[in-house]
């Protein structure tokens, strides 16, 4: 059985690494890797191939920078000949990025069945490009692999047949489990001169937060307030850095006392920073899940989360306004010990990719 798996952006590499490894355990599966090139910076792409033991992609589509529509158009145009050459039995897509939807659409148009990993997640906010990608990809998918109960509920509500939905757990956590010891050995925390539990780790890159000057000003205030309690370690996403620079705000952040602005970190470096942070402040999807698994208190600065289990069972707290005072209150409460320990959600056990590979290896669905 030939499966073409798609990667395009940072979170995809982490998820596909686990799946590709599991596919290799099944002699019936022939796994082909396509990298769309949506993320192409070394710090967002190459380092993940190296650290996560991903083989070089069999195809590189080189779509590069552009608007979401331009990138989609480029992927549609360049992925079609790959499918024609490969004639796979399945196309497997993960997550909610532009590459996920674009490749699912090409596969559907070529009558190749689509498997979607991390299906069914819904924030309920259609202004988010990721939410539109999730909904449209799920509507094209033949097999939908789900990470949490809310995903099953959402898909059923949307009329997806039960036999297409498979609750398998979380492949992001598979990679965390696999690489945690290696990340700790690297000891980035110590190399950066930090003390475990004595710093706050921050990531921000969602357009709703970082594309507006008002949002960036609030984020600057949040960093400044938090740095009064603990060192703030902030690996800055290229989108955020470019916006800060364009709006003349980068210098202010760079010069703030007790703040360490870093380049985006490699996976192992970031995992080590996550595990030993006192608090994580983020707008990332994956980081909400990773902190839940590691039981590190997480403040998510977004209107909504498509990963409700991280709030219901995990350590995540949602702050729906980008309000420096509210963040400061939560930071102070966590540091005073007023926070929940949380527990690890069902099937987030490091074996999700094994389940996916087993299910796919038994798929009777043939063209
Ligand atoms: N990550 C990383 N280095 C960083 C920031 C994040 O390796 O400097 C990893 C981290 O494991 C995170 C994943 O990249 O879960 C996904 O990142 P991102 O927040 O870009 O994507 P999202 O999950 O929001 O789609």
């Amino acid at each position: 059985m030939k499966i073409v798996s798609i990667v395009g952006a940072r979170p995809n590499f982490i998820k596909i690494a686990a799946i590709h490894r599991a596919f290799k355990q099944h002699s019936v599966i022939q796994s082909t890797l396509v990298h769309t090139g949506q993320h192409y910076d070394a710090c967002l792409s190459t380092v993940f191939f190296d650290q996560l033991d991903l083989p070089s992609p069999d195809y590189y589509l080189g779509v590069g920078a552009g608007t979401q529509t331009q990138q989609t158009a480029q992927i549609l145009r360049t992925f079609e000949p790959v499918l024609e050459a490969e004639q796979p039995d399945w196309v497997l897509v993960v997550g909610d990025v532009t590459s996920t939807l674009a490749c699912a659409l090409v596969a559907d148009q070529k009558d190749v069945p689509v498997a979607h990993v991390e299906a069914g997640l819904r924030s309920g906010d259609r202004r988010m490009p990721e939410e539109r990608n999730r909904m449209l990809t799920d509507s094209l998918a033949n097999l939908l692999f789900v990470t949490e109960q809310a995903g099953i509920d959402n898909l059923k509500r949307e009329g997806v047949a039960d036999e297409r939905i498979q609750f398998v757990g979380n492949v992001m956590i598979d990679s965390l489990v696999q690489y945690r010891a290696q990340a700790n050995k690297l000891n980035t925390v110590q190399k950066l001169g930090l003390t475990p539990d004595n710093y706050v780790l921050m990531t921000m890159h969602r357009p709703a937060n970082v594309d507006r000057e008002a949002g960036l000003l609030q984020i600057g205030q949040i960093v400044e307030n938090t740095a009064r309690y603990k060192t703030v370690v902030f690996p800055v996403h290229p989108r955020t850095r470019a916006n800060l620079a364009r709006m003349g705000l980068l210098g202010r952040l760079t010069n703030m006392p007790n703040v360490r602005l870093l380049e985006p970190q490699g996976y192992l470096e970031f995992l080590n920073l996550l595990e030993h942070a006192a608090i994580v402040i983020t707008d990332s999807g994956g980081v909400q899940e990773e902190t839940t698994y590691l039981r590190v208190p997480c403040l998510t600065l977004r209107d909504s989360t498509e990963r409700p289990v991280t709030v219901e069972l995990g350590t995540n707290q949602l702050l729906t306004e980008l309000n420096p005072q509210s963040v400061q209150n939560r930071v102070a409460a966590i540091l005073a010990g007023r926070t929940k320990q949380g527990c690890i959600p069902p099937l987030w056990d490091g074996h999700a990719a094994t389940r996916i590979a087993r299910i796919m290896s038994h798929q009777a669905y043939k063209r």
Side-chain angles (χ1 to χ4, degrees), residues 36-40 60-67 70-72 74-75:
T36 63
Q38 186 188 331
H39 277 175
Y40 47 87
Y60 184 72
L61 305 183
V63 299
T67 64
Q70 287 163 346
Q71 286 186 323
T72 303
Q74 272 288 83
I75 297 170

Side-chain angles (χ1 to χ4, degrees), residues 342-354:
C343 66
I344 297 175
L347 297 190
W348 291 20
D349 58 1
H351 300 297
T354 307

Side-chain angles (χ1 to χ4, degrees), residues 206-219 239 243-244 246-247 249 303 321-322:
R206 294 255 101 79
N209 284 337
V210 306
D211 282 4
R212 302 169 299 126
E213 186 175 9
L216 287 174
L217 285 169
Q218 302 284 58
I219 289 167
R239 176 188 199 101
N243 289 346
L244 282 166
R246 188 162 45 84
M247 294 174 199
L249 301 170
D303 287 346
E321 274 173 80
L322 205 51

Side-chain angles (χ1 to χ4, degrees), residues 29-268:
I29 296 179
Q30 187 192 330
S31 174
T32 300
L33 199 59
V34 174
H35 184 348
T36 63
Q38 186 188 331
H39 277 175
Y40 47 87
D41 292 354
C43 68
L44 293 186
S45 173
T46 324
V47 65
F48 290 86
F49 279 81
D50 294 344
Q51 294 190 341
L52 292 155
D53 307 305
L54 265 172
S56 300
D58 299 286
Y59 294 90
Y60 184 72
L61 305 183
V63 299
T67 64
Q68 193 183 5
T69 304
Q70 287 163 346
Q71 286 186 323
T72 303
Q74 272 288 83
I75 297 170
L76 297 182
R77 206 172 52 73
T78 50
F79 185 48
E80 183 176 34
V82 172
L83 274 195
E84 281 167 359
E86 288 290 326
Q87 298 283 315
D89 299 288
W90 285 90
V91 166
L92 181 137
V93 294
V94 293
D96 55 19
V97 300
T98 304
S99 303
T100 310
L101 171 60
C103 290
L105 181 56
V106 178
D108 188 61
Q109 287 174 341
K110 301 300 256 182
D111 272 334
V112 179
V114 173
H116 184 206
V117 175
E118 215 180 80
L121 296 181
R122 299 287 181 267
S123 67
D125 181 358
R126 272 189 58 90
R127 290 168 305 177
M128 291 178 71
E130 296 88 349
E131 179 76 350
R132 299 193 293 267
N133 292 340
R134 289 189 278 262
M135 295 179 74
L136 293 167
T137 303
D138 284 344
S139 74
L140 298 169
N142 304 75
L143 192 51
L144 298 100
F145 293 111
V146 177
T147 53
E148 63 172 277
Q149 182 61 41
I152 302 175
D153 300 342
N154 292 330
L155 292 173
K156 285 191 175 178
R157 198 176 316 116
E158 291 168 18
V160 177
D162 283 3
E163 63 269 20
R164 292 186 175 206
I165 305 171
Q166 298 281 351
F167 182 29
V168 290
N170 192 326
V171 292
M172 195 76 169
I173 301 304
D174 289 10
S175 283
L176 187 159
V177 169
Q178 168 93 15
Y179 288 99
R180 189 177 181 181
Q182 216 172 306
N184 276 325
K185 236 183 254 162
L186 202 62
N187 208 348
T188 305
V189 170
Q190 194 187 28
K191 282 185 189 145
L192 288 173
L194 299 163
T195 311
D197 288 327
N198 207 21
Y199 61 91
V200 173
L201 181 65
M202 182 134 174
T203 80
M204 286 286 140
H205 72 288
R206 294 255 101 79
N209 284 337
V210 306
D211 282 4
R212 302 169 299 126
E213 186 175 9
L216 287 174
L217 285 169
Q218 302 284 58
I219 289 167
Q221 194 57 53
I222 289 166
V223 172
E224 192 172 335
N225 293 351
T226 309
R228 293 197 196 111
Y229 297 85
K230 297 271 182 201
T231 303
V232 174
V233 180
F234 188 175
V236 187
H237 191 283
R239 176 188 199 101
T240 309
R241 186 175 288 275
N243 289 346
L244 282 166
R246 188 162 45 84
M247 294 174 199
L249 301 170
L250 190 57
R252 181 170 161 241
L253 265 185
T254 312
N255 295 324
M256 264 179 205
N258 213 17
V259 174
R260 305 276 294 272
L261 292 195
L262 305 177
E263 290 302 310
Q265 295 293 290
Y267 181 63
L268 298 176

